[in-house]
């Protein structure tokens, strides 16, 4: 990973245009080719970014100090450096990924074994389907043969919907899988997360842990 802190301005040209005026910012260039520009707020969210696959060209001569990032669609992110305050590169190696807690890991295993819980005719492609930004919990197909990515949480919150959104963006670039839709599955889904998921066309599935384990409840029933 390369970290550059610089006073710079940023212009984006693509489906729309955007401009960030001159200010000190952090620029991250990751091993997967992505480039993102950050301010000292907004938590982890960048001000602007270019997702892989993309190419970075650093200008020389009259263009020295101008970085041009281009993706496969021809969209451009142009970073004009005025003053570089820090520039360093670090080898992070292969990340082991997020280790889920015991319940989430077991939910994933159980749902993969009982994939029909999501709907009649669903079939499993595989668990832990790897992408450039991490593994999708479950990749499967619905009754019509369409690809479905499933993100599993014990408690479904907005961050989980954001994570699934990023996975879907990458998966839909693969012509072998596209179109890919998403299902956000959890034992409990917060209202805000459900609203965001619905707005992004992501389905929500509440999981009953005991039912997946085949444990009947002990409540009296009338037959």
């Amino acid at each position: 990973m390369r970290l550059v802190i610089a006073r710079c301005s940023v212009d984006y040209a693509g489906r729309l245009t955007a401009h960030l005026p001159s200010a000190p910012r952090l620029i991250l260039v990751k091993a997967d080719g992505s480039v993102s520009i950050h301010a000292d707020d907004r938590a982890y969210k960048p001000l602007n970014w270019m997702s892989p696959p993309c190419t970075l060209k650093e200008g020389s001569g009259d263009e020295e100090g101008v970085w041009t990032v281009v993706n496969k669609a021809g969209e451009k992110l142009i970073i004009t450096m005025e003053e570089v305050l820090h520039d360093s590169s670090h080898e992070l190696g292969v990340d082991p990924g997020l280790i889920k807690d015991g319940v989430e890991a077991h939910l994933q295993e159980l749902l993969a074994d009982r994939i029909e819980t999501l709907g009649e005719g669903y079939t499993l492609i595989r668990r832990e389907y790897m992408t450039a930004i991490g593994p999708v919990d479950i990749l499967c197909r619905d009754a019509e043969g369409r690809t479905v990515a499933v993100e599993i949480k014990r408690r479904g919150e907005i961050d989980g919907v954001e994570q699934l959104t990023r996975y879907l963006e990458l998966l839909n670039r693969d012509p072998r899988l596209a179109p890919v839709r998403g299902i956000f599955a959890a034992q409990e889904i917060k209202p805000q997360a459900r609203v965001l998921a619905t707005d992004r066309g992501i389905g929500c599935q509440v999981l009953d842990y005991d039912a997946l384990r085949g444990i009947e409840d002990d409540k009296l029933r009338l037959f």
Side-chain angles (χ1 to χ4, degrees):
M1 179 184 292
R2 184 178 178 186
L3 297 87
V4 178
I5 299 175
R7 179 172 294 277
C8 63
S9 59
V10 184
D11 292 278
Y12 174 83
R15 289 166 294 179
L16 48 81
T17 58
H19 175 71
L20 294 172
S22 176
R25 298 188 175 95
L26 167 65
I27 304 165
L28 296 181
V29 183
K30 294 188 177 180
D32 63 3
S34 63
V35 179
S36 56
I37 296 97
H38 299 259
D40 201 10
D41 61 5
R42 298 166 56 95
Y44 61 89
K45 295 184 179 180
L47 296 166
N48 215 326
W49 70 94
M50 192 70 81
S51 301
C54 58
T55 58
L56 167 62
K57 179 182 178 182
E58 297 184 42
S60 59
D62 292 341
E63 295 295 317
E64 186 174 0
V66 177
W67 290 13
T68 304
V69 188
V70 184
N71 66 13
K72 65 178 182 179
E75 298 168 317
K76 294 182 179 181
L77 191 65
I78 301 170
I79 307 169
T80 304
M81 309 284 191
E82 298 172 14
E83 180 184 9
V84 176
L85 305 173
H86 175 85
D87 188 347
S88 64
S89 296
H90 307 270
E91 180 59 55
L92 302 184
V94 177
D95 190 271
L98 178 68
I99 299 175
K100 293 179 175 291
D101 68 31
V103 173
E104 286 186 14
H106 200 201
L107 280 170
Q108 182 192 116
E109 180 182 351
L110 291 169
L111 186 57
D113 288 341
R114 297 165 176 79
I115 199 67
E116 67 279 359
T117 301
L118 298 176
E120 186 177 352
Y122 273 70
T123 57
L124 178 69
I125 297 176
R126 66 167 296 169
R127 292 169 54 194
E128 299 288 330
Y129 186 90
M130 187 57 64
T131 73
I133 59 173
V136 177
D137 287 335
I138 290 178
L139 199 67
C140 57
R141 295 194 188 280
D142 63 17
E144 285 74 43
R146 297 171 296 189
T147 310
V148 181
V150 185
E151 179 63 26
I152 299 170
K153 299 292 184 187
R154 184 167 57 86
R155 179 177 298 166
E157 301 185 5
I158 284 177
D159 284 353
V161 178
E162 295 283 8
Q163 183 180 357
L164 180 53
T165 300
R166 294 192 292 272
Y167 287 145
L168 290 171
E169 181 183 353
L170 283 177
L171 292 170
N172 273 299
R173 296 176 185 175
D174 188 338
R176 298 170 300 174
L177 300 175
V180 185
R181 65 183 182 89
I183 293 179
F184 188 50
Q187 288 181 280
E188 173 193 0
I189 300 177
K190 296 293 186 180
Q192 300 93 328
R194 187 179 291 274
V195 169
L196 180 61
T198 301
D199 182 66
R200 295 183 177 180
I202 294 172
C204 292
Q205 178 83 34
V206 175
L207 300 177
D208 186 324
Y209 189 36
D210 287 340
L212 285 172
R213 291 189 295 166
I215 299 175
E216 297 289 339
D217 65 42
D218 57 1
K219 295 177 183 177
L220 294 175
R221 298 179 182 178
L222 295 177
F223 293 94

